[in-house]
Amino acid sequence: MGKTKKGLFQKSLDGIEFLGNKLPHPVTLFAILALLVLVLSAALSQLGISVEHPGKEDEMVEITNLLNAEGIQYIFSSMTDNFIGFAPLGVVLVTMLGIGVAERTGLISALLRGFVLSVPNRFITLGLVFAGIMSSVASDAGYVVLPPLGALIFAALGRHPLAGLAAAFAGVSAGFSANLLLSGTDVMLGELTIAAASIVDPAYAETMNIAMNYAFIAVSVFVLTLIGTWVTEKIVEPRLGSYKQEGNEETDESLDGLKPVEKKGLIWAGVSLVIGLGLTALLILPENAPMRGTEGSTMDQIVQSPFMSSLVPIIAILFLIPGLVYGVVTKVIRNDKDVAGQMSDTMASMGMFIVLAFTAGQFVAYFNESNMGLVLGVYGAKFLDSINLTGIPLILIFILITAFINLFIGSASAKWAMMAPVFVPIMMQLGYSPELTQMAYRVADSTTNIISPLMTYFAIIIAFAQKYDKKMGIGTLISTMIPYSIFFLVGWTIMLIIWMLFGIPLGPGGPLEYPN
């Protein structure tokens, strides 16, 4: 029986890998989807399909043919604007200018290492998972630093190194949508959600902000940290058993703490951050502050304010300044050319995202211009309502669908660029806010990363693991990570359901319901 189950499990993993590898690159996928939208717009426009605009009474909306004379003119004349106007493009690049400097000077890496190495032994599992979750502000650093560091620390403590690697990997990847700080993920997904909401209600979309999920993701940090710690110590580590080192020279790596210059750099970077936060507070907290709103209560003046609409450059600056200070103190930065070089390297690393933005921008623009999103949203909402699929069951189905798709398409931005224009309007028609739809997406998108062999860093994690187990392969790693994926998905979903039952806002200006 055991062999049969193992065979079926391995076959399912092989099937996921095979099907995933058959999918085209996300850049190509969006190009295909854009062409499909053009063809469907021509075909469906001939059927005379129309719906009443959900945000405007007595206004009927029909599908626009994008392959007639006017449509073809639109395709060519709008191509550049579609690229430049792709919602996440500018905001992600601006954010990464600041985060990139903090990462490339070594600030984020030193911060992660310093935190983990300073945690008492009995809390080391908890510290690893927590550090992994927090590393999502610069996920590359998290993947490169924490899994091998976790393995080394566990080995030094006489525990199984693969358990330490798994705990760190679970935090970095499965919990990347949770954080105590706003990150590039909030910026990227938030802009796509706002753009999708504007399909139905442009006025509502203008009131939204990228911190729409902040309250939920901040609390999620502590919930996921506890879940990840429990899974590691009660399931994964007992299953791995005791570790017997077989003279692997590769495991004899240094566990030295931070160098004095790194500690000095962290201190001064911390001072600069405190000063930066203080100056930021002066822009919004005092009455009549320049970045504060002017209408409503004190909270309204903060939520609906120039400050909230300026979070992208503020995030970039709050990462840039400590990164610069750390770089200067550690002598990684010696002049302005070094800073420019680091920013240039960061933008170079965003090359694939920029190319993706071009084809994704065309798809999103064509989908909106054709009115297919609006029509599909109305009909989809009517269908779900007719079969009584609403409320918590609807959210659960959406989470499961997203989690399954994530096994084959790893990019969070690519998936949401495809799904947001469809699902956000549908949910809005059923009375659920775009903020709630985005949060449900983030829960599902994060939790199955660690069991997808197509995840970008999967091969790197296997390479780290093979230092301790030469036979480590895709199936072995996935079987080790499955408990994290299941318990993160179940625990995080339960947390979202409780949040819904108590009607708690997801963040500043982040309601659960859409007043349709």
Side-chain angles (χ1 to χ4, degrees), residues 4 17 24 28 72 121 141 164 280 291-292 306 321 349 434 444 469 484:
T4 303
E17 186 174 16
T28 308
I72 292 173
N121 290 348
T280 302
M291 298 292 282
R292 182 169 175 157
I321 293 176
S349 69
D469 183 356
Y484 293 103

Side-chain angles (χ1 to χ4, degrees), residues 258-269:
L258 296 174
K259 299 175 182 178
V261 69
E262 291 177 315
K263 293 180 180 179
K264 184 179 178 181
L266 286 176
I267 291 172
W268 284 106

